[in-house]
Amino acid sequence: MAEAKILATIERTDTEQLQISVSEYRGKSYFNLRIFYTTDEGATWLPTKKGVTFAPEQLDVLSDAIEEAKQLFMEEME
């Protein structure tokens, strides 16, 4: 398995973060949203079981849902 390419990181707490990445597994590429944790002040981040993986053909559905959520949130702020 090739090493994951981290696209973004969202801090949740001092010891927990959401990593958004692209990785390869058994010759196929995937988009991952996974919670990672640290016990050594951020020197090493380890994955938890909490997360979700998307196949490339599912990204349009995810992207559409994110865009719809953004529009709903913008309407609420008006």
Side-chain angles (χ1 to χ4, degrees), residues 44-62:
T44 307
W45 289 92
L46 303 168
T48 68
K49 291 182 180 182
K50 297 176 185 177
V52 64
T53 299
F54 296 90
E57 58 270 13
Q58 298 170 313
L59 290 181
D60 284 338
V61 174
L62 178 61

Side-chain angles (χ1 to χ4, degrees), residues 7 20-23 29-33 52-56 59 62:
L7 305 175
I20 303 168
S21 65
V22 174
S23 63
S29 295
Y30 294 96
F31 179 76
N32 306 293
L33 302 170
V52 64
T53 299
F54 296 90
L59 290 181
L62 178 61

Side-chain angles (χ1 to χ4, degrees), residues 12-70:
R12 293 173 46 102
T13 67
D14 289 343
T15 59
E16 192 175 83
Q17 62 181 215
L18 173 68
Q19 290 187 10
I20 303 168
S21 65
V22 174
S23 63
E24 189 176 300
Y25 181 71
R26 294 187 180 179
K28 294 184 179 181
S29 295
Y30 294 96
F31 179 76
N32 306 293
L33 302 170
R34 184 144 320 270
I35 301 294
F36 280 69
Y37 72 97
T38 186
T39 57
D40 57 8
E41 298 181 10
T44 307
W45 289 92
L46 303 168
T48 68
K49 291 182 180 182
K50 297 176 185 177
V52 64
T53 299
F54 296 90
E57 58 270 13
Q58 298 170 313
L59 290 181
D60 284 338
V61 174
L62 178 61
S63 178
D64 290 347
I66 291 170
E67 284 303 315
E68 186 173 346
K70 286 170 58 176

